[in-house]
Amino acid sequence: MQQKRVIALGFFDGVHLGHGALLRRVAEAAKELDAVPAAVTFDTHPDTLVFGKDVPLINSPAEREWLMRQDYGIQDLIVAHFDEQMMHMPWEAFVEDYLIRQYGAVHLVAGHDFHFGDRGQGNPQRLLSKCRALGIGCDIIGKVELSGVTVSSTYIRALLSRGELERANRFLGHPHTLIHTVEHGKKLGRALGFPTVNLAFQPGVLVPANGVYATLVHFADGTSRPAVTNIGIRPTIDDGNRVTVEGFLLDFDGDLYGQTLRMEFYQYLRGERKFPSLEALTEEVMHNAEQTREYFRRRNS
């Protein structure tokens, strides 16, 4: 017997407060209907194929799934492959064949501006009418505003690109998150007195503004440690232009290579800059470490 699902519809890039309104309604309806709370997302941004423009993502699919499960109780994330066939699928077929027949949808939840199907002909009004005709539930969620600004992935991308991390986190409703497996680096951190974790954003995912951030690194065993994290090209020690994500772990000693970690970004401390010597860099990292400790002391008090 096919599982019954209550499904949220959208791209869910960033899983921000606007998405949260949809996902909370999904969880409520799933409980009422004894169904699985689920969401449909796409592996690439539809605008990439529809309009031929690259849209940097706020989160990878894996990060999206973790945030939905952790923050909103979504149990099933359906990642649809967005290709020519999906792009040209009639909107009626997307509802009847894809969502209902293939995934057992008994209730759908969409945002006020959700468009889908061939040439975006599916819209909230048509979705409501179709669901009513098919005898399944449907909710359309209005826009969500914060401080008079509509919460949107586009706005949050702009904030992250400018290094306005704390404001971005307010609109996300959670710390900006990176999930990645620790890579081998140049082991500079140990030379400076801090063990480091070298991570990377997935291809196609937005890299926040270059600079130094107060972050929290969560390990596989459930523990966590603060870290001073540099995003950028490390101009003091590197001659290239490859962007890296290097977290200097505070009060930690151990080997994390090959482990998958979750890094949460909390505060932008300063821009990236070139120092005259490794000694000057070390002194600044020590200062940033104290700023990071103080930030989390205040946050946890």
Side-chain angles (χ1 to χ4, degrees), residues 240-270:
N241 57 7
R242 186 175 78 90
V243 174
T244 63
V245 180
E246 186 174 29
F248 294 75
L249 291 165
L250 309 186
D251 309 314
F252 176 82
D253 185 30
D255 184 0
L256 296 170
Y257 291 122
Q259 290 193 33
T260 298
L261 307 181
R262 188 177 82 257
M263 177 178 281
E264 295 176 339
F265 292 79
Y266 283 88
Q267 189 177 48
Y268 182 81
L269 298 178
R270 62 172 173 85

Side-chain angles (χ1 to χ4, degrees), residues 3-13 15 19-27 30 35-43 61 64-69 72-81 94 98-99 103-105 107-110 114:
Q3 279 188 319
K4 297 189 302 181
R5 290 181 173 88
V6 176
I7 301 178
L9 304 177
F11 189 60
F12 300 108
D13 187 22
V15 194
H19 299 140
L22 275 72
L23 299 172
R24 279 192 296 272
R25 177 57 194 141
V26 164
V36 176
V40 166
T41 188
F42 299 97
D43 56 356
R64 234 175 285 161
E65 181 173 12
W66 188 89
L67 290 164
M68 286 187 187
R69 289 180 184 274
Y72 299 104
I74 298 300
Q75 296 176 16
D76 191 5
L77 180 64
I78 301 161
V79 181
H81 178 47
F94 181 73
Y98 189 76
L99 297 175
Y103 286 105
H107 192 109
L108 299 176
V109 182
F114 182 66

